[in-house]
Amino acid sequence: MHVLLIEDDDLVASGIQAGLESHDFVVDQASTFVEARMAMASVSSDVAILDLGLPDGDGMGLLKEWRSSGVITPILILTARDAVCDRVAGLQGGADDYLLKPFDLDELVARLHALIRRAAGRARPLVEHGPLCFDPLAREVTVAGHHVPLQRREVTLLEAFLQSPRTILTVDHLKDQLYGLSEDVESNALNVHIFHLRRKLGKGIIETVRGLGFRLGSPDSVELRRNTVGTDG
Amino acid sequence: MSLRKRLLWTLGITLTLLWGVTAVWLLRDLHRQIEHTLDQRLAQSARMVAGLVSQLPAEVWQQAEPHRLSIPPIEGLACQVNSPSGEIIAQTHTDLGGVLTPRQPGHSYRTVEGVKWRVFTYQRNSLTITTADRVDERNILLNDVLMVAIIPFLFALIGSLAALWLGILRGLRPLSRLKQALAQRHPEVLSPIEVPDLPSELRPLVATLNALLSRVQQAFVREQRFTNDAAHELRTPLTAIKTHLQVASRQHGEASRFALAQAEKGVSRLQGTLEQLLMLARLENGLDDSWQANCLARSAALEALLMLGEDAQATFSITWPSETFYLPVPHELVVMALRNLLENARRFSPDPGSVHVSFSQSGSGLTIEIKDQGPGVDDRDLPKLAERFWRHGTGHGSGLGLAIVSAIAERFSGRLSFAHNAPQGLVAQLWFPIVEETRQWSDRPDVTWGVPIAPHQ
């Protein structure tokens, strides 16, 4: 899951980034109005965290700008402004959630997952795909009740596919999901992760759409590979 | 009691009393005058009869004596003439013997058969003439006259009272409009009061009130902004601390240590902000007695420079004052003000020699000027520099440093001002009044540099 973190205070931002990364989020930070605008345009985020007090402009303005230009990414406002009128203005201005500083890291993570889930149109916290079941909060994948150990990146990749089950995901989008903007990615790293997922969950779990990208396979294609259960990880 | 009632009562009662007293006075006077006139008429009639009777030859009334002459009666007036022997020679009314019996000369009252008479007895050439008026008839006349006088009087009184009532009602209408306008306001509304067509007496009152309201509103907005900003400034490091601590508790090894170090940074930032907020509060709400001392400008500047650390020294080029100046400000506060200004200049203009500090006497004070070659600020940001929690761009710090300098200047009758530096950068000017005996002090040989000396101790 890719999170765009818009926060001008480096100390707070580094804390949130470390906290979210420990929960397998991929985080990109923007610390100004201009940076945030550029980041939103260039990287596909699953959710954005927005601090209202930016040094070169008001976060509310950014929010309204995005909403009026058709950006549908769920946005959580994370701010120290606690007045009821601020919260109402934030939610009416197009935010999906409002969390006050200081906050609890677990609450932030739970709210982000809820936002992503709702954006994908799911009401239940668990994602199911045939016999495969994924718990986004616990980061656990089971097939027919058996735990399948996956690497962190593999879980993130699988999550991206499960998030948009019928969509063809481009290589760029998947790279954003896995690494964000900051990391320099080797060209075949994505293919390696897809190879591992296919090995552990069945060949058909991810389909290659030639020239366009990849897509989640049909629910029937999920297989429980006995040799991977409990041995890898 | 309302103003209107009080006015109505006071003016109404005063008016009625005045008019009443005047009326009583007038009526008494009128009564006396009429009485006097009627008495004169009575006496005049008697004299006239006497004149007539004395011109008659003696025989006439001697013959007539047994028959009694009859005088045709004048309305409301009875008359009788007696001879020297006491015989009645002539009379108007035969049945009024009791009333007209002669007595002592002059006016008197007499009551016969329940009717009161005013009687006048006159003697001339041994004849006695008695005339009499019925007092009740007199009273009827008197009442008629009084009625004629009193009705316009009453009319005038009632008219004045009505005019008074109307006048007060109309005259005080702007006041009641103002009262209504004030009564309808919500107590927390701070918008100006608007009452149309106010008289000139009330306009200054409403104008003053509106000016006060707008000042209160501004203060309220400022206060609210300050509270919001303070909440933000305190919550942000708190958030950093909490988040990093939570990360540290979930991680191991290097990541955990890094998070703990970050949390510690947050703690020191929070501490700094709190201390600065407390300093501002203390500056605004009076100071400790231990601060009541003068300070030597140069030693304060030296101490401020030392506090910035050795690395910082190279940034500043300083023109020291040729004279010794004492400022009527506690040493610690001048050090703090200068340190904040120097720190700020260095943050944006760190190159060696790029910040120039100079001291110059201007008027009755000392101006300390700090010129940097940093990016400077826009025209519109110039007045905001000393505002609380205002920061330049993504600049670090609590945003309180210059606000504290400004508060110190204000507290000790000084001034903090900013201007653009050419070609770029910012000029900060801190002005303090100087202690008047500065010159004398500078002549003292025992004054040493670098040690704060309070001349009054």
Side-chain angles (χ1 to χ4, degrees), chain A residues 7 9-12 14-16 18-19 22-23 31-32 51 53 55 79-82 100-106, chain B residues 228 231-233 235-240 242-244 246-247 250-251 258 262-263 265-267 269 391 393-394 396:
Chain A
E7 165 65 60
D9 191 282
D10 287 341
L11 206 54
V12 174
S14 70
I16 296 175
S22 75
H23 283 86
S31 55
T32 63
D51 177 26
T79 179
R81 292 189 203 167
D82 60 346
L100 278 182
K101 287 178 185 173
F103 57 91
D104 198 89
L105 199 53
D106 290 334
Chain B
N228 286 344
H232 184 260
E233 288 309 316
R235 278 186 180 137
T236 303
L238 205 58
T239 308
K242 188 169 173 179
T243 314
H244 280 296
Q246 286 183 343
V247 170
R250 284 169 173 75
Q251 305 275 23
F258 177 75
Q262 294 287 92
K265 264 192 214 169
V267 170
R269 218 171 82 192
R391 282 201 199 91
T394 48
H396 289 287

Side-chain angles (χ1 to χ4, degrees), chain B residues 219-237:
Chain B
F220 189 69
V221 169
R222 251 200 327 270
E223 196 69 18
Q224 202 162 31
R225 203 179 61 206
F226 175 71
T227 315
N228 286 344
D229 289 346
H232 184 260
E233 288 309 316
L234 295 176
R235 278 186 180 137
T236 303

Side-chain angles (χ1 to χ4, degrees), chain A residues 99-136:
Chain A
L99 190 60
L100 278 182
K101 287 178 185 173
F103 57 91
D104 198 89
L105 199 53
D106 290 334
E107 187 184 352
L108 177 68
V109 169
R111 279 174 189 260
L112 290 179
H113 277 297
L115 284 178
I116 294 166
R117 196 178 72 220
R118 249 176 281 147
R122 286 183 286 117
R124 293 183 53 207
L126 297 181
V127 190
E128 285 176 3
H129 186 68
L132 186 145
C133 180
F134 171 60
D135 180 348

